[in-house]
Amino acid sequence: MVPRNLFRRRGRTFLTLFGIAIGVAAIAALGAVAGALREGFASMTRGSEADFVVTQAGALTAILGSIDQAVADELRAMPEVAAVDGMVFANSILNDGSYLFCFGYDPSGFSIRRFRIVAGERLDQASARRGRPLLLGRRAAERLHRRVGDVLYVGQVPFRVVGLYETGSSLEDSAAVVSLEDAQTLTLQLRRVTVLYVKLRDPAMADAFRARMARRFPDLTVIASADFADQEYMVRVVDAMAMAVAGLAVVIGGVGMTNTLFMSVFERTTEIGVLRALGWRRRRVLGMILRESLLLGFFGGICGILLGVLLGAGVARMPGIAQAFTPIFKPGLFLQAAVVSLVAGALGGLYPAWRATRMRPAEALRYE
């Protein structure tokens, strides 16, 4: 009976499903983008052996920060510090007009060791006599159709691909790695780095290191490597947007659901009166209307999740740097989208269901 009641007015039902699906798809898509951003930033510290990441305080995002390289020399002199590595992030334009993320690392530093070479050689093994060396991520090499030994112009500067690497991160595997000095030249930021990776002599010295940094460099922020991705401003912004969209989806989907079911109850006044006259209790009428609303929310959620996945797949196939942030769909994200759709259905069906239970059988049977 419930499915038949819903599809008496197919147009109205499908419009309600579409409204819920759009909200759920937005939740899924934004959540997947936030997951991709979080994974991308986490990959910058994953396996780097660093205990802390030092960034510029107040920067919109860590990858847009700028720190004087002289700070690294001071950090190395601190008693708690075992090693310091700088990293430069660059969004470079290739000679064909496309974009490529580039990471600049010290070829002999500790943080570059996590890039697993699958073809060719490492930066510190390359000969400078044959041109500026560059490591290319596997996905970037496939997109740019480059192999070991090929020349790649980055910002009008020729680089020789000396090796291909994989890290398992879509961000890093869609990028390139050059020496720290070459990255500083590309970004016109000589003697400056984007972030600093710090390895402590003993993890127990973490609090002492934080206190020393707060006194000496109040304009810098010290973040534990494990917390770097979660504290990144861009990730938090996208997460907040996803939560806001979830709230809007509940409100808008609930209003649409209320309107649909209220009209359905209004049109079925006589029918509900007959059911009440045949002995249906108010609780049974309430359950029927709520089942209709939950069924609408359920199918709207499924359609929204499928639409969100299709949007994510479309983003993943877009050319250029969009491939570096391939949306990540996790079971928890699908569960969140499903809960939102069911909550919208339940809230949207409450008033129409209550209104249906208030009908007196005699009055409902006389309704024209």
Side-chain angles (χ1 to χ4, degrees):
M1 178 182 290
V2 170
R4 186 176 69 249
N5 291 338
L6 289 177
F7 287 98
R8 288 180 180 182
R9 296 289 186 269
R10 290 184 176 87
R12 188 168 63 202
T13 298
F14 283 124
L15 284 175
T16 303
L17 287 174
F18 181 74
I20 296 174
I22 290 296
V24 171
I27 295 170
L30 282 173
V33 170
L37 287 173
R38 182 177 287 104
E39 191 276 340
F41 284 106
S43 70
M44 294 169 60
T45 58
R46 185 188 304 137
S48 66
E49 303 177 16
D51 296 297
F52 289 101
V53 181
V54 178
T55 66
Q56 179 185 358
L60 183 61
T61 171
I63 59 177
L64 297 180
S66 180
I67 303 173
D68 193 321
Q69 198 169 339
V71 174
D73 298 330
E74 293 194 44
L75 294 183
R76 292 187 184 98
M78 291 183 178
E80 301 89 0
V81 176
V84 179
D85 246 0
M87 187 275 284
V88 172
F89 176 84
N91 182 15
S92 303
I93 302 178
L94 305 181
N95 59 345
D96 62 356
S98 62
Y99 290 88
L100 178 69
F101 289 152
C102 288
F103 295 95
Y105 285 96
D106 180 356
S108 60
F110 65 84
S111 56
I112 198 174
R113 292 198 292 260
R114 61 196 176 82
F115 291 89
R116 183 170 59 87
I117 303 299
V118 295
E121 56 190 7
R122 302 193 305 267
L123 281 184
D124 58 351
Q125 296 174 328
S127 172
R129 291 178 298 178
R130 297 178 57 191
R132 297 172 185 256
L134 174 144
L135 299 178
L136 202 56
R138 175 72 80 178
R139 296 181 62 175
E142 294 174 355
R143 175 171 67 90
L144 299 173
H145 307 290
R146 292 295 196 277
R147 298 179 299 177
V148 174
D150 289 348
V151 175
L152 180 66
Y153 281 82
V154 182
Q156 306 303 318
V157 178
F159 284 83
R160 180 172 55 90
V161 180
V162 299
L164 305 181
Y165 68 83
E166 283 183 344
T167 64
S169 163
S170 61
L171 171 62
E172 292 181 324
D173 290 348
S174 300
V177 174
V178 299
S179 70
L180 190 65
E181 292 77 10
D182 287 339
Q184 290 170 334
T185 301
L186 288 174
T187 57
L188 303 179
Q189 295 283 323
L190 301 181
R191 295 290 302 170
R192 301 195 73 83
V193 296
T194 304
V195 299
L196 290 170
Y197 296 118
V198 179
K199 184 193 298 187
L200 299 182
R201 298 183 185 277
D202 186 343
M205 298 179 174
D207 292 339
F209 174 70
R210 285 181 181 273
R212 189 184 299 274
M213 286 293 295
R215 293 193 303 269
R216 178 64 185 86
F217 300 106
D219 57 335
L220 299 178
T221 300
V222 179
I223 306 172
S225 297
D227 301 330
F228 178 66
D230 290 330
Q231 294 190 25
E232 172 55 37
Y233 180 75
M234 288 178 61
V235 175
R236 288 183 292 168
V237 167
V238 178
D239 275 338
M241 290 175 61
M243 293 298 294
V245 169
L248 287 174
V250 170
V251 174
I252 296 174
V255 170
M257 186 79 68
T258 299
N259 179 68
T260 296
L261 292 178
F262 186 79
M263 292 300 297
S264 176
V265 169
F266 184 76
E267 293 167 354
R268 293 151 53 196
T269 299
T270 301
E271 177 184 329
I272 293 174
V274 171
L275 293 175
R276 294 279 286 121
L278 291 175
W280 276 45
R281 296 179 178 274
R282 290 181 175 180
R283 182 173 56 188
R284 190 174 180 183
V285 174
L286 179 72
M288 179 182 68
I289 303 301
L290 285 179
R291 283 196 297 273
E292 293 176 11
S293 67
L294 288 173
L295 192 62
L296 272 176
F298 175 75
F299 283 113
I302 291 178
C303 293
I305 289 173
L306 292 176
L307 181 59
V309 171
L310 290 176
L311 288 174
V315 171
R317 289 185 174 88
M318 291 175 62
I321 62 176
Q323 294 180 344
F325 293 103
T326 302
I328 298 177
F329 293 94
K330 295 183 178 180
L333 181 60
F334 294 140
L335 179 61
Q336 178 188 0
V339 169
V340 168
S341 63
L342 290 176
V343 169
L347 293 179
L350 282 177
Y351 178 71
W354 175 82
R355 182 64 181 268
T357 62
R358 306 306 299 173
M359 292 183 183
R360 297 178 181 273
E363 295 177 359
L365 288 172
R366 292 197 303 269
Y367 176 79
E368 291 293 339

